[in-house]
Amino acid sequence: MKEKQQGLWAILGANTIFGLNIPITKALMESWMTPIGYTVTRMFFGVFIFWVIASFLKREQVHKKDFPIILLGGLMGFVGTQFLFSKALQYTSPVIFSLLMALTPVVVLVLSSLFLKEKVSLRKIIGIAISISGAILIIVLSNTGNEIAGNQFLGILFSVLCVLCYAGYLVMTRKVSMTYQPVTIAKWMFLISALVAIPFSFSGLENQRIYSSEATVLAYAFLAFALLFSTTLAFFLMPYALKRLEASTVSIFMNLQPIIASIVAMLVGQDRFTWDKPLAVILVVVGVYLVTTQSKRKRKKMAYNKI
């Protein structure tokens, strides 16, 4: 019971961090950083922090055959996803972005069925349909002013690309992630990402307002949160929770991210409350719940087989 409680606190903490990081990144994009500057900063910090942490742990040897997957994973999951994440928030609101990102488990299921030939049950098909209906509601009822609509379209496009990139990363690196410790995967993927980001660092970092005399304590606090909590702490909380909780419990808590991001964004004025947003949240969350959990009948059958 104590282990389970620790797992619950860990998964709650991780998803709270991820939810808060969306409006925080939006604030950084609005006033202090560009998407490329934000991405390069996170990549360089990731290399430093995870190689330092790895130096205190038992060294784990990575097989040569796994390096191509780690290379592609670093490009897709770290450089691609982080750049698209910040680029999307440059043009759209945290509410729209977080709701579209909540579709990641749905996209993972679709990609797994297409490329890994995994079976999709009727329950999951219904979940996919409900989630997609929520996403369509977000897109169709987004702002329609000419300039705003153009920005919304770009934001939605980058959000969708971010979802596809991250889902592809999860599917591609599934076996590798099960083979090695999280820190081993992180240190190599961040190193690869940082090497790719070096050519962009010269122009990407020098023009960042946050690195000038204009920066405020609040701006540094936002960046510190993104680096210390979202990039580092949450990375350890997730595997800690996965070892102590059922996958279905973890997936349910992941639905907190769009809810937290939406509430905070509206409270700080990054978005406004409209009738379609809570409806979209309900559709997406219910759909993702159906996709990521099993029916009681199937759970009982699996428990019986184990006995």
Side-chain angles (χ1 to χ4, degrees), residues 103-241:
L103 295 172
T104 299
V106 176
V107 180
V108 168
L109 178 65
V110 173
L111 292 178
S112 297
S113 65
L114 290 175
F115 297 104
L116 302 180
K117 306 302 179 184
E118 292 186 4
K119 292 182 179 180
V120 182
S121 64
L122 178 61
R123 174 191 174 93
K124 294 184 186 296
I125 291 173
I126 294 171
I128 291 171
I130 294 173
S131 294
I132 290 174
S133 67
I136 291 172
L137 181 66
I138 298 166
I139 295 169
V140 172
L141 297 179
S142 58
N143 294 322
T144 55
N146 290 334
E147 185 179 350
I148 296 175
N151 288 344
Q152 286 284 33
F153 174 78
L154 281 174
I156 290 170
L157 176 62
F158 284 124
S159 299
V160 171
L161 291 174
C162 185
V163 172
L164 291 172
C165 196
Y166 187 56
Y169 156 77
L170 292 175
V171 173
M172 184 194 312
T173 60
R174 181 179 293 177
K175 287 186 177 179
V176 173
S177 298
M178 294 171 65
T179 304
Y180 304 103
Q181 294 295 324
V183 174
T184 302
I185 298 292
K187 74 174 188 178
W188 284 109
M189 286 192 178
F190 269 112
L191 178 60
I192 291 166
S193 303
L195 291 174
V196 172
I198 285 175
F200 304 98
S201 62
F202 301 105
S203 59
L205 293 178
E206 65 179 359
N207 297 322
Q208 302 304 306
R209 190 165 170 242
I210 198 168
Y211 298 134
S212 70
S213 57
E214 298 177 29
T216 63
V217 174
L218 185 60
Y220 288 132
F222 286 159
L223 183 58
F225 182 92
L227 297 178
L228 296 175
F229 288 88
S230 182
T231 304
T232 309
L233 180 58
F235 188 87
F236 289 100
L237 290 175
M238 285 298 290
Y240 184 87

Side-chain angles (χ1 to χ4, degrees), residues 214-280:
E214 298 177 29
T216 63
V217 174
L218 185 60
Y220 288 132
F222 286 159
L223 183 58
F225 182 92
L227 297 178
L228 296 175
F229 288 88
S230 182
T231 304
T232 309
L233 180 58
F235 188 87
F236 289 100
L237 290 175
M238 285 298 290
Y240 184 87
L242 284 166
K243 288 182 180 180
R244 291 160 175 79
L245 300 172
E246 294 180 358
S248 58
T249 304
V250 173
S251 64
I252 292 169
F253 272 85
M254 289 179 69
N255 292 325
L256 286 173
Q257 292 183 34
I259 297 172
I260 292 171
S262 300
I263 291 172
V264 173
M266 291 178 190
L267 287 175
V268 300
Q270 291 178 344
D271 207 330
R272 66 180 189 276
F273 181 85
T274 54
W275 68 268
D276 57 296
K277 290 185 175 70
L279 178 58

